[in-house]
Amino acid sequence: HYDLAETTATIRVSGPKTVIDELSNSTVTLEADVDGLGVGRHTVSLTASVPASVNVESIYPNEVSIVITAAE
């Protein structure tokens, strides 16, 4: 089980206007890789997945604090 300190992030992107106009929650995703992390508090980087013609300019915050607890 894990808890995030932040639940929202802002992504700044660039690309063709026609593609940017079509972006949605289903075409842009943020991920925090928690693989291999044990119980405790960790700071992990966020990565964004966007359509091929879109560039990620920035992510804020670019890291999140995650608390992993033992399964009950």
Side-chain angles (χ1 to χ4, degrees):
H1 177 255
Y2 61 90
D3 293 308
L4 293 172
E6 297 285 334
T7 58
T8 61
T10 300
I11 305 172
R12 186 172 173 194
V13 296
S14 63
K17 182 179 181 340
T18 55
V19 177
I20 298 294
D21 288 346
E22 296 296 318
L23 292 178
S24 68
N25 289 343
S26 64
T27 57
V28 177
T29 59
L30 280 177
E31 296 180 358
D33 185 3
V34 297
D35 285 344
L37 298 179
V39 172
R41 180 178 300 275
H42 306 275
T43 300
V44 295
S45 296
L46 293 174
T47 57
S49 295
V50 295
S53 59
V54 175
N55 297 310
V56 176
E57 300 296 333
S58 64
I59 302 171
Y60 181 81
N62 64 348
E63 295 180 327
V64 292
S65 179
I66 296 177
V67 177
I68 300 175
T69 55
E72 296 179 13

